[in-house]
Amino acid sequence: GVAVSPMLTVEEAWMLCSVARTIDPDAYLAVGHVPSTGADESFPGGFTIRGEKAPNRIGVEMVLSMFGAVSEGGTVPAWNDLLEQVRAKTIQSAWVTAGYPTPERSWCDEATAATFEELSCLVVQDLFESPLSNRATWCLPAVGFAERSGTWVNCGHRAQTFEQAIRPPAGVWPEGRFFWNLLGREGLYDPESIRKQIAESSASFAVLSGEVPSIGLDLRLQQVAVT
């Protein structure tokens, strides 16, 4: 099973799912833990601070839908669904991507981490040590938001691309570069080429085949225009 973190970009999520399905065509895919600080806060003028602190949950859900990771109810499996699969012992190994910037408070507590203890293999890809990484067979580094490049889809279904602002620490590969190499791609990681490949494979992302303006593109409006 694979937990696809909502901190990953659309391109990284797509490559991770591709790697997983190359290893196991039936690999269980779910959205990773979605951090939240509570309810939304709205202010005069329409400004809202979202309680959800994940930049790309919707983008990851859209990517997982491309891979057929949709339940009978039409929803994409979430973190708790993956936990249930592990508890039911229908999953023997797991790859959990995280990358949550909260070193002062782990996103995964001891009780949740204990759920994974009986797996034959556990890969954890994260920024900081956690009860889950302490149980991992393999620990892989993750990078922060400013150390990656690609596309995020925000809560308003607006897709925005961005470039890497700073380099990660020496020896640390951004997830995009790591997944790119696992897929056997040659040369330097090129998120634009992955984005175009995604756009060619999905009507939901079709508009991303061209240039994306700095203000982004509303994917819902673009889909209406296409239909």
Side-chain angles (χ1 to χ4, degrees):
V2 180
V4 185
S5 173
M7 310 303 287
L8 296 178
T9 65
V10 167
E11 296 84 356
E12 291 166 341
W14 183 87
M15 288 190 291
L16 174 59
C17 292
S18 297
V19 170
R21 287 291 173 83
T22 299
I23 298 171
D24 179 1
D26 298 319
Y28 185 85
L29 306 175
V31 179
H33 169 72
V34 178
S36 174
T37 58
D40 294 349
E41 293 184 69
S42 297
F43 300 88
F47 178 72
T48 300
I49 297 177
R50 301 292 178 183
E52 180 179 301
K53 302 303 179 184
N56 197 36
R57 174 184 58 82
I58 290 177
V60 168
E61 289 178 347
M62 293 173 66
V63 168
L64 265 59
S65 295
M66 292 176 61
F67 287 84
V70 180
S71 67
E72 293 182 358
T75 59
V76 173
W79 172 244
N80 286 336
D81 297 310
L82 177 67
L83 293 178
E84 288 301 318
Q85 293 292 320
V86 174
R87 293 188 183 103
K89 302 186 185 303
T90 58
I91 291 176
Q92 286 73 49
S93 58
W95 185 345
V96 178
T97 56
Y100 306 108
T102 53
E104 71 283 353
R105 178 176 53 84
S106 176
W107 64 274
C108 182
D109 59 26
E110 286 287 347
T112 302
T115 305
F116 294 83
E117 284 186 339
E118 296 185 15
L119 294 181
S120 60
C121 181
L122 173 61
V123 178
V124 177
Q125 196 162 9
D126 205 352
L127 276 169
F128 303 103
E129 183 180 4
S130 70
L132 188 62
S133 68
N134 291 336
R135 291 169 167 81
T137 311
W138 299 98
C139 288
L140 301 175
V143 299
F145 70 93
E147 298 166 329
R148 67 178 80 242
S149 58
T151 307
W152 279 335
V153 181
N154 69 17
C155 60
H157 289 79
R158 180 169 293 274
Q160 293 178 287
T161 60
F162 59 95
E163 299 295 329
Q164 183 185 56
I166 58 175
R167 293 179 180 272
V172 175
W173 283 12
E175 288 91 330
R177 179 183 175 186
F178 181 62
F179 301 151
W180 173 273
N181 279 267
L182 286 180
L183 288 172
R185 301 291 179 105
E186 297 182 352
L188 297 176
Y189 169 48
D190 180 10
E192 183 177 355
S193 68
I194 296 295
R195 184 163 58 250
K196 289 182 177 179
Q197 185 173 350
I198 294 171
E200 292 170 357
S201 305
S202 170
S204 298
F205 287 111
V207 69
L208 299 183
S209 61
E211 184 176 348
V212 180
S214 59
I215 61 171
L217 292 168
D218 188 323
L219 297 183
R220 292 175 298 184
L221 292 179
Q222 297 299 325
Q223 290 173 38
V224 170
V226 170
T227 56

